[in-house]
Amino acid sequence: MSPIRIVFFTGAGISAESGLRTFRDSDGLWEEYRIEDVATPEAWARNAELVLRFYDLRREQVLKASPNAAHEAIAALEDSFHVQVVTQNIDDLHERAGSSRVLHLHGEILKARSTADPSLVFPVNGPHLRTGDKCPKGSQLRPHIVWFGEEVPLLMPAAALVAQADVLVVVGSSLQVYPAAGLVHSAPAQATIHLVDPNTVSAQGVRFTHWKEKASLGVPKLAQFLRKTYT
Ligand code: APR
């Protein structure tokens, strides 16, 4: 019998207890910055320096952060299940916790990409990406992030992964940003859906079991439940 397939769809909330700010909580990033100033192609064209500095600050935070018990519990489930992470997060905490299948829908902050050829992606050496950091074709490197108003290139592969899930677990996402949030509707009708979040999250037309607590407590408990139920 093939292993049960679990897809974890994660958002900023799973990294909150690792010290990384979410976006729409009371102290969220969008309380302090305007999206149109730091996370759109127009912002990049208007003031690339400001955009680079915004992501430098976040990259510094990511380099200082460590995975928490939620990231670790997800990685540990790979010993008994086929686990796929589909994350909206741009940090590498899932990978550092040991998850081996991680798809980043909105890009990765520790990578940079050519503005002349988007297929050219490079690791960022250290915390900063600066004006003058060029790709081999001589163009300015930009953060390897999907900005608002840009296509989500990995959306269809992500939808295909969710469509194969026996269990879908949403952790730490307000499910407010599309098309990513729409992925919950790609789960097969027979899949069971769980949601780990200390707050109420609305997901129209989706029936889920709500584990109403922080990820570092809720995800390990849910992992234990999944082991008891399926192994
Ligand atoms: N544990 C679990 N969930 C938490 C925790 C925690 N400790 N703290 C907060 N949360 C929940 C909040 O209740 C909220 O539902 O995490 C969610 C965070 O929601 P958002 O800040 O909207 O983050 P996210 O859903 O990931 O945003 C999606 O929006 O700005 C864009 O590209 C950005 O990928 C991001 C996308």
Side-chain angles (χ1 to χ4, degrees):
M1 176 164 148
S2 56
I4 294 286
R5 300 177 71 91
I6 307 178
V7 173
F8 283 88
F9 179 67
T10 65
I14 198 171
S15 298
E17 291 160 273
S18 297
L20 299 180
R21 292 166 72 181
T22 63
F23 295 94
R24 295 172 186 81
D25 285 323
S26 51
D27 61 347
L29 276 162
W30 298 145
E31 295 259 308
E32 192 180 329
Y33 295 90
R34 288 176 352 125
I35 287 174
E36 53 273 29
D37 290 342
V38 293
T40 64
E42 295 75 16
W44 176 252
R46 186 171 56 246
N47 187 346
E49 265 308 311
L50 179 64
V51 174
L52 288 171
R53 269 205 309 279
F54 173 70
Y55 286 101
D56 279 359
L57 287 173
R58 297 185 59 206
R59 197 172 296 110
E60 284 166 15
Q61 296 300 318
V62 168
L63 292 172
K64 276 190 260 178
S66 303
N68 62 55
H71 299 102
E72 286 160 2
I74 291 171
L77 282 173
E78 291 191 10
D79 63 12
S80 309
F81 298 91
H82 180 283
V83 180
Q84 171 73 48
V85 175
V86 173
T87 186
Q88 299 169 93
N89 298 341
I90 57 177
D91 62 55
D92 64 337
L93 297 181
H94 281 300
E95 290 87 342
R96 279 200 262 153
S99 285
S100 58
R101 297 183 200 90
V102 182
L103 182 152
H104 287 270
L105 277 169
H106 293 161
E108 299 176 67
I109 197 161
L110 300 182
K111 293 180 181 171
R113 91 166 169 253
S114 160
T115 44
D117 176 353
S119 69
L120 299 179
V121 178
F122 309 91
V124 176
N125 298 319
H128 301 141
L129 186 58
R130 288 275 181 262
T131 305
D133 290 347
K134 305 253 187 208
C135 84
K137 296 190 171 178
S139 80
Q140 173 66 43
L141 290 172
R142 59 163 274 182
H144 184 48
I145 303 285
V146 177
W147 286 326
F148 285 87
E150 292 188 316
E151 288 289 306
V152 179
L154 293 179
L155 183 67
M156 296 319 288
L161 290 166
V162 174
Q164 295 166 37
D166 298 302
V167 179
L168 173 66
V169 184
V170 179
V171 185
S173 179
S174 62
L175 295 178
Q176 288 183 39
V177 174
Y178 285 80
L183 283 173
V184 294
H185 298 290
S186 298
Q190 70 277 15
T192 52
I193 303 178
H194 299 268
L195 182 135
V196 182
D197 196 309
N199 302 312
T200 303
V201 177
S202 71
Q204 297 305 327
V206 177
R207 269 182 329 102
F208 54 77
T209 305
H210 189 177
W211 300 65
K212 201 167 171 118
E213 51 189 324
K214 292 187 168 189
S216 67
L217 297 174
V219 174
K221 277 185 198 162
L222 172 56
Q224 208 174 11
F225 166 82
L226 293 171
R227 287 182 191 285
K228 270 201 206 112
T229 308
Y230 294 106
T231 59

